PDB file of all heavy atoms in Angstrom:
ATOM      1  N   TYR B  10      -4.083  19.010   2.699  1.00  0.00           N
ATOM      2  CA  TYR B  10      -5.237  18.402   2.046  1.00  0.00           C
ATOM      3  C   TYR B  10      -5.225  18.781   0.573  1.00  0.00           C
ATOM      4  O   TYR B  10      -4.905  19.915   0.216  1.00  0.00           O
ATOM      5  CB  TYR B  10      -6.555  18.875   2.682  1.00  0.00           C
ATOM      6  CG  TYR B  10      -6.670  18.559   4.146  1.00  0.00           C
ATOM      7  CD1 TYR B  10      -6.265  19.470   5.116  1.00  0.00           C
ATOM      8  CD2 TYR B  10      -7.161  17.330   4.574  1.00  0.00           C
ATOM      9  CE1 TYR B  10      -6.348  19.165   6.460  1.00  0.00           C
ATOM     10  CE2 TYR B  10      -7.261  17.020   5.924  1.00  0.00           C
ATOM     11  CZ  TYR B  10      -6.846  17.947   6.848  1.00  0.00           C
ATOM     12  OH  TYR B  10      -6.939  17.646   8.183  1.00  0.00           O
ATOM     13  N   LEU B  11      -5.603  17.806  -0.260  1.00  0.00           N
ATOM     14  CA  LEU B  11      -5.603  18.032  -1.697  1.00  0.00           C
ATOM     15  C   LEU B  11      -6.751  17.238  -2.302  1.00  0.00           C
ATOM     16  O   LEU B  11      -6.958  16.064  -1.938  1.00  0.00           O
ATOM     17  CB  LEU B  11      -4.280  17.533  -2.264  1.00  0.00           C
ATOM     18  CG  LEU B  11      -3.674  18.167  -3.506  1.00  0.00           C
ATOM     19  CD1 LEU B  11      -3.577  19.671  -3.388  1.00  0.00           C
ATOM     20  CD2 LEU B  11      -2.302  17.556  -3.767  1.00  0.00           C
ATOM     21  N   VAL B  12      -7.506  17.884  -3.195  1.00  0.00           N
ATOM     22  CA  VAL B  12      -8.581  17.195  -3.899  1.00  0.00           C
ATOM     23  C   VAL B  12      -8.318  17.337  -5.395  1.00  0.00           C
ATOM     24  O   VAL B  12      -8.153  18.452  -5.892  1.00  0.00           O
ATOM     25  CB  VAL B  12      -9.959  17.781  -3.550  1.00  0.00           C
ATOM     26  CG1 VAL B  12     -11.049  17.043  -4.331  1.00  0.00           C
ATOM     27  CG2 VAL B  12     -10.213  17.684  -2.051  1.00  0.00           C
ATOM     28  N   LYS B  13      -8.260  16.212  -6.102  1.00  0.00           N
ATOM     29  CA  LYS B  13      -7.978  16.208  -7.524  1.00  0.00           C
ATOM     30  C   LYS B  13      -9.006  15.333  -8.250  1.00  0.00           C
ATOM     31  O   LYS B  13      -9.709  14.532  -7.619  1.00  0.00           O
ATOM     32  CB  LYS B  13      -6.565  15.666  -7.780  1.00  0.00           C
ATOM     33  CG  LYS B  13      -5.459  16.530  -7.213  1.00  0.00           C
ATOM     34  CD  LYS B  13      -5.367  17.843  -7.950  1.00  0.00           C
ATOM     35  CE  LYS B  13      -4.245  18.717  -7.408  1.00  0.00           C
ATOM     36  NZ  LYS B  13      -4.158  20.028  -8.130  1.00  0.00           N
ATOM     37  N   ARG B  14      -9.031  15.479  -9.553  1.00  0.00           N
ATOM     38  CA  ARG B  14      -9.957  14.674 -10.353  1.00  0.00           C
ATOM     39  C   ARG B  14      -9.216  13.546 -11.049  1.00  0.00           C
ATOM     40  O   ARG B  14      -8.008  13.637 -11.334  1.00  0.00           O
ATOM     41  CB  ARG B  14     -10.650  15.556 -11.387  1.00  0.00           C
ATOM     42  CG  ARG B  14     -11.501  16.644 -10.751  1.00  0.00           C
ATOM     43  CD  ARG B  14     -12.712  16.989 -11.602  1.00  0.00           C
ATOM     44  NE  ARG B  14     -13.600  17.908 -10.879  1.00  0.00           N
ATOM     45  CZ  ARG B  14     -14.579  17.488 -10.082  1.00  0.00           C
ATOM     46  NH1 ARG B  14     -14.808  16.214  -9.910  1.00  0.00           N
ATOM     47  NH2 ARG B  14     -15.341  18.371  -9.477  1.00  0.00           N
ATOM     48  N   THR B  15      -9.917  12.494 -11.321  1.00  0.00           N
ATOM     49  CA  THR B  15      -9.350  11.344 -12.027  1.00  0.00           C
ATOM     50  C   THR B  15      -8.696  11.803 -13.322  1.00  0.00           C
ATOM     51  O   THR B  15      -9.268  12.608 -14.075  1.00  0.00           O
ATOM     52  CB  THR B  15     -10.459  10.323 -12.349  1.00  0.00           C
ATOM     53  OG1 THR B  15     -11.070   9.907 -11.129  1.00  0.00           O
ATOM     54  CG2 THR B  15      -9.887   9.115 -13.062  1.00  0.00           C
ATOM     55  N   GLU B  17      -5.957  13.618 -13.584  1.00  0.00           N
ATOM     56  CA  GLU B  17      -5.077  14.771 -13.403  1.00  0.00           C
ATOM     57  C   GLU B  17      -3.676  14.320 -13.036  1.00  0.00           C
ATOM     58  O   GLU B  17      -3.483  13.258 -12.423  1.00  0.00           O
ATOM     59  CB  GLU B  17      -5.605  15.676 -12.280  1.00  0.00           C
ATOM     60  CG  GLU B  17      -6.733  16.598 -12.689  1.00  0.00           C
ATOM     61  CD  GLU B  17      -6.976  17.660 -11.623  1.00  0.00           C
ATOM     62  OE1 GLU B  17      -6.192  18.627 -11.568  1.00  0.00           O
ATOM     63  OE2 GLU B  17      -7.943  17.518 -10.857  1.00  0.00           O
ATOM     64  N   VAL B  19      -0.643  14.941 -10.601  1.00  0.00           N
ATOM     65  CA  VAL B  19      -0.569  15.474  -9.237  1.00  0.00           C
ATOM     66  C   VAL B  19       0.884  15.481  -8.765  1.00  0.00           C
ATOM     67  O   VAL B  19       1.606  14.488  -8.950  1.00  0.00           O
ATOM     68  CB  VAL B  19      -1.418  14.632  -8.269  1.00  0.00           C
ATOM     69  CG1 VAL B  19      -1.359  15.216  -6.857  1.00  0.00           C
ATOM     70  CG2 VAL B  19      -2.867  14.540  -8.745  1.00  0.00           C
ATOM     71  N   ALA B  81      -3.947  10.541 -11.977  1.00  0.00           N
ATOM     72  CA  ALA B  81      -4.523  10.132 -10.695  1.00  0.00           C
ATOM     73  C   ALA B  81      -5.751   9.241 -10.891  1.00  0.00           C
ATOM     74  O   ALA B  81      -6.574   9.457 -11.796  1.00  0.00           O
ATOM     75  CB  ALA B  81      -4.900  11.367  -9.883  1.00  0.00           C
ATOM     76  N   SER B  82      -5.860   8.267 -10.001  1.00  0.00           N
ATOM     77  CA  SER B  82      -7.032   7.385 -10.015  1.00  0.00           C
ATOM     78  C   SER B  82      -7.628   7.335  -8.611  1.00  0.00           C
ATOM     79  O   SER B  82      -6.957   7.653  -7.619  1.00  0.00           O
ATOM     80  CB  SER B  82      -6.647   5.977 -10.479  1.00  0.00           C
ATOM     81  OG  SER B  82      -5.737   5.410  -9.573  1.00  0.00           O
ATOM     82  N   THR B  83      -8.889   6.913  -8.523  1.00  0.00           N
ATOM     83  CA  THR B  83      -9.577   6.937  -7.228  1.00  0.00           C
ATOM     84  C   THR B  83      -8.895   6.032  -6.209  1.00  0.00           C
ATOM     85  O   THR B  83      -8.942   6.302  -5.004  1.00  0.00           O
ATOM     86  CB  THR B  83     -11.054   6.533  -7.390  1.00  0.00           C
ATOM     87  OG1 THR B  83     -11.118   5.255  -8.031  1.00  0.00           O
ATOM     88  CG2 THR B  83     -11.821   7.556  -8.220  1.00  0.00           C
ATOM     89  N   GLN B  85      -5.923   5.862  -5.597  1.00  0.00           N
ATOM     90  CA  GLN B  85      -4.782   6.563  -5.023  1.00  0.00           C
ATOM     91  C   GLN B  85      -5.196   7.569  -3.953  1.00  0.00           C
ATOM     92  O   GLN B  85      -4.358   8.306  -3.420  1.00  0.00           O
ATOM     93  CB  GLN B  85      -3.977   7.252  -6.127  1.00  0.00           C
ATOM     94  CG  GLN B  85      -3.291   6.247  -7.043  1.00  0.00           C
ATOM     95  CD  GLN B  85      -2.522   6.891  -8.166  1.00  0.00           C
ATOM     96  OE1 GLN B  85      -3.045   7.757  -8.883  1.00  0.00           O
ATOM     97  NE2 GLN B  85      -1.284   6.473  -8.346  1.00  0.00           N
ATOM     98  N   THR B  86      -6.476   7.591  -3.631  1.00  0.00           N
ATOM     99  CA  THR B  86      -6.945   8.368  -2.483  1.00  0.00           C
ATOM    100  C   THR B  86      -6.327   7.765  -1.229  1.00  0.00           C
ATOM    101  O   THR B  86      -6.498   6.578  -0.937  1.00  0.00           O
ATOM    102  CB  THR B  86      -8.475   8.314  -2.389  1.00  0.00           C
ATOM    103  OG1 THR B  86      -9.031   9.029  -3.491  1.00  0.00           O
ATOM    104  CG2 THR B  86      -8.957   8.924  -1.090  1.00  0.00           C
ATOM    105  N   SER B  87      -5.579   8.594  -0.482  1.00  0.00           N
ATOM    106  CA  SER B  87      -4.825   8.069   0.647  1.00  0.00           C
ATOM    107  C   SER B  87      -4.157   9.217   1.392  1.00  0.00           C
ATOM    108  O   SER B  87      -4.202  10.369   0.971  1.00  0.00           O
ATOM    109  CB  SER B  87      -3.750   7.091   0.150  1.00  0.00           C
ATOM    110  OG  SER B  87      -3.094   6.450   1.221  1.00  0.00           O
ATOM    111  N   MET B  88      -3.516   8.864   2.509  1.00  0.00           N
ATOM    112  CA  MET B  88      -2.626   9.778   3.208  1.00  0.00           C
ATOM    113  C   MET B  88      -1.210   9.481   2.722  1.00  0.00           C
ATOM    114  O   MET B  88      -0.770   8.321   2.750  1.00  0.00           O
ATOM    115  CB  MET B  88      -2.715   9.564   4.708  1.00  0.00           C
ATOM    116  CG  MET B  88      -1.658  10.309   5.497  1.00  0.00           C
ATOM    117  SD  MET B  88      -1.928  12.073   5.531  1.00  0.00           S
ATOM    118  CE  MET B  88      -2.977  12.176   6.979  1.00  0.00           C
ATOM    119  N   TYR B  89      -0.510  10.529   2.297  1.00  0.00           N
ATOM    120  CA  TYR B  89       0.867  10.367   1.807  1.00  0.00           C
ATOM    121  C   TYR B  89       1.830  11.013   2.814  1.00  0.00           C
ATOM    122  O   TYR B  89       1.682  12.176   3.185  1.00  0.00           O
ATOM    123  CB  TYR B  89       1.017  11.000   0.428  1.00  0.00           C
ATOM    124  CG  TYR B  89       0.286  10.206  -0.618  1.00  0.00           C
ATOM    125  CD1 TYR B  89      -1.056  10.438  -0.898  1.00  0.00           C
ATOM    126  CD2 TYR B  89       0.940   9.177  -1.307  1.00  0.00           C
ATOM    127  CE1 TYR B  89      -1.740   9.673  -1.839  1.00  0.00           C
ATOM    128  CE2 TYR B  89       0.259   8.417  -2.251  1.00  0.00           C
ATOM    129  CZ  TYR B  89      -1.080   8.674  -2.504  1.00  0.00           C
ATOM    130  OH  TYR B  89      -1.752   7.911  -3.426  1.00  0.00           O
ATOM    131  N   THR B 110       0.052  14.484   3.647  1.00  0.00           N
ATOM    132  CA  THR B 110      -0.901  15.101   2.721  1.00  0.00           C
ATOM    133  C   THR B 110      -2.044  14.126   2.499  1.00  0.00           C
ATOM    134  O   THR B 110      -1.817  12.999   2.055  1.00  0.00           O
ATOM    135  CB  THR B 110      -0.248  15.415   1.365  1.00  0.00           C
ATOM    136  OG1 THR B 110       0.776  16.384   1.533  1.00  0.00           O
ATOM    137  CG2 THR B 110      -1.291  15.933   0.374  1.00  0.00           C
ATOM    138  N   ARG B 111      -3.243  14.565   2.840  1.00  0.00           N
ATOM    139  CA  ARG B 111      -4.403  13.712   2.590  1.00  0.00           C
ATOM    140  C   ARG B 111      -4.942  14.033   1.205  1.00  0.00           C
ATOM    141  O   ARG B 111      -5.488  15.122   0.993  1.00  0.00           O
ATOM    142  CB  ARG B 111      -5.471  13.905   3.657  1.00  0.00           C
ATOM    143  CG  ARG B 111      -6.635  12.937   3.483  1.00  0.00           C
ATOM    144  CD  ARG B 111      -7.526  12.853   4.702  1.00  0.00           C
ATOM    145  NE  ARG B 111      -6.873  12.256   5.848  1.00  0.00           N
ATOM    146  CZ  ARG B 111      -6.665  10.962   6.027  1.00  0.00           C
ATOM    147  NH1 ARG B 111      -7.026  10.100   5.088  1.00  0.00           N
ATOM    148  NH2 ARG B 111      -6.084  10.510   7.125  1.00  0.00           N
ATOM    149  N   LEU B 112      -4.768  13.112   0.292  1.00  0.00           N
ATOM    150  CA  LEU B 112      -5.177  13.292  -1.105  1.00  0.00           C
ATOM    151  C   LEU B 112      -6.485  12.556  -1.364  1.00  0.00           C
ATOM    152  O   LEU B 112      -6.610  11.376  -1.033  1.00  0.00           O
ATOM    153  CB  LEU B 112      -4.097  12.764  -2.052  1.00  0.00           C
ATOM    154  CG  LEU B 112      -4.471  12.705  -3.535  1.00  0.00           C
ATOM    155  CD1 LEU B 112      -4.641  14.115  -4.092  1.00  0.00           C
ATOM    156  CD2 LEU B 112      -3.413  11.952  -4.328  1.00  0.00           C
ATOM    157  N   THR B 113      -7.434  13.278  -1.942  1.00  0.00           N
ATOM    158  CA  THR B 113      -8.684  12.676  -2.380  1.00  0.00           C
ATOM    159  C   THR B 113      -8.773  12.818  -3.891  1.00  0.00           C
ATOM    160  O   THR B 113      -8.624  13.928  -4.418  1.00  0.00           O
ATOM    161  CB  THR B 113      -9.893  13.355  -1.728  1.00  0.00           C
ATOM    162  OG1 THR B 113      -9.769  13.240  -0.303  1.00  0.00           O
ATOM    163  CG2 THR B 113     -11.196  12.706  -2.167  1.00  0.00           C
ATOM    164  N   VAL B 114      -9.008  11.697  -4.568  1.00  0.00           N
ATOM    165  CA  VAL B 114      -9.162  11.713  -6.027  1.00  0.00           C
ATOM    166  C   VAL B 114     -10.620  11.392  -6.353  1.00  0.00           C
ATOM    167  O   VAL B 114     -11.126  10.328  -5.976  1.00  0.00           O
ATOM    168  CB  VAL B 114      -8.221  10.710  -6.704  1.00  0.00           C
ATOM    169  CG1 VAL B 114      -8.372  10.789  -8.227  1.00  0.00           C
ATOM    170  CG2 VAL B 114      -6.776  10.973  -6.307  1.00  0.00           C
ATOM    171  N   LEU B 115     -11.277  12.334  -7.003  1.00  0.00           N
ATOM    172  CA  LEU B 115     -12.710  12.167  -7.295  1.00  0.00           C
ATOM    173  C   LEU B 115     -12.947  11.617  -8.693  1.00  0.00           C
ATOM    174  O   LEU B 115     -12.134  11.838  -9.596  1.00  0.00           O
ATOM    175  CB  LEU B 115     -13.423  13.515  -7.145  1.00  0.00           C
ATOM    176  CG  LEU B 115     -13.306  14.174  -5.764  1.00  0.00           C
ATOM    177  CD1 LEU B 115     -13.941  15.545  -5.785  1.00  0.00           C
ATOM    178  CD2 LEU B 115     -13.944  13.284  -4.702  1.00  0.00           C
TER     179      LEU B 115
END
Side-chain angles (χ1 to χ4, degrees):
Chain B
Y10 301 92
L11 209 52
V12 179
K13 295 292 181 180
R14 297 212 172 271
T15 301
E17 280 193 78
V19 181
S82 63
T83 55
Q85 292 178 310
T86 292
S87 186
M88 170 71 89
Y89 290 88
T110 296
R111 185 165 293 282
L112 172 67
T113 301
V114 182
L115 302 175

